[in-house]
Amino acid sequence: MKKAFEFLKQLEKNNTREWFTQHKSEYDTVVKENKVFFTKIYNELQEYDQLKGIHIFRIYRDVRFSKDPTPYKNNFGVGYSRSKPMLRGGYYIHLEPGNSFVGGGFWAPDTQDLLRIRKEFELNTSEIEKITSDPTFIRYFEEIKGDGVKTAPRGFDKDHPAIDLIRKKQFVVMRKFTDKEVFSDHFQKEILLTLLAMRPFFDYMSEVLTTDLNGESLF
């Protein structure tokens, strides 16, 4: 990780195609080592979950519609997807000097899934409150995060006791890591523990998204 972070720090200072081309061999070495690291975590997580894929994000930015003209990201990221349709939620690892984190959840649920989640919380929040009040969940993630609408979604009461959950458009959790923690010998183990700590949240949301409001299976 020290080698990867040193490359990213230099890239942040020299985010041009010319510099990147000159240091392409360094980049290729880091990417190869990252792939080994990310694959090890995938294989470990696969022992506890059913995953259907690993997606290592490219460092190249799409600048066509961006105000930021820099051609490269200053981070390395990987996502692990679960086996749909029965298992929902996605895992994510983000490595960036001063801004590393492990997260996961439901970043952009489609319209149907979002409505189903909101309807569930409108009906009953006892299960999600039990999950988010668990000491392990609080220690790792503190709370469910994510953007939301300003008031109440159409068709929902703005005075509903669970309106803070109902307003959300995203349902994600995140644990940040310092650079010192990233460089430690225990980082890989801590990543796995963090990903596994998401499982009660993922399992509950999977149950919600694979049943109707009466608890009948949709599949």
Side-chain angles (χ1 to χ4, degrees), residues 33-164:
E33 293 173 352
N34 282 351
K35 187 173 182 180
V36 171
F37 180 71
F38 292 147
T39 302
K40 283 182 180 178
I41 294 170
Y42 177 85
N43 292 335
E44 286 185 329
L45 187 57
Q46 189 75 278
E47 295 181 15
Y48 302 92
D49 203 347
Q50 296 178 40
L51 306 178
K52 72 168 187 177
I54 174 173
H55 179 77
I56 300 175
F57 291 90
R58 289 161 55 86
I59 200 168
Y60 308 96
R61 295 183 64 251
D62 184 352
V63 299
R64 291 174 299 171
F65 309 105
S66 175
K67 294 180 181 179
D68 182 355
T70 53
Y72 307 104
K73 303 172 187 174
N74 62 339
N75 64 76
F76 294 116
V78 62
Y80 307 116
S81 55
R82 304 179 82 208
S83 298
K84 285 186 175 182
M86 300 307 293
L87 302 180
R88 303 297 182 88
Y91 303 101
Y92 178 67
I93 300 170
H94 182 98
L95 300 177
E96 178 183 352
N99 186 38
S100 297
F101 62 88
V102 174
F106 304 80
W107 182 256
D110 62 32
T111 302
Q112 183 177 346
D113 282 353
L114 181 58
L115 180 61
R116 176 66 183 89
I117 293 168
R118 285 171 169 169
K119 285 289 187 182
E120 181 71 18
F121 293 154
E122 180 184 46
L123 184 67
N124 186 358
T125 58
S126 60
E127 188 64 29
I128 193 66
E129 288 174 357
K130 179 181 177 181
I131 291 168
T132 57
S133 63
D134 183 90
T136 299
F137 183 95
I138 294 172
R139 184 170 73 253
Y140 280 100
F141 311 118
E142 295 183 357
E143 61 182 356
I144 295 175
K145 299 177 175 65
D147 293 339
V149 297
K150 291 183 179 179
T151 56
R154 183 178 299 175
F156 291 87
D157 181 2
K158 65 181 178 62
D159 296 319
H160 191 284
I163 193 60
D164 286 345

Side-chain angles (χ1 to χ4, degrees), residues 20-21 97 123 135 141 175-176 182 209:
F20 190 85
T21 300
L123 184 67
F141 311 118
R175 178 189 176 188
K176 293 186 176 182
V182 172
L209 292 172

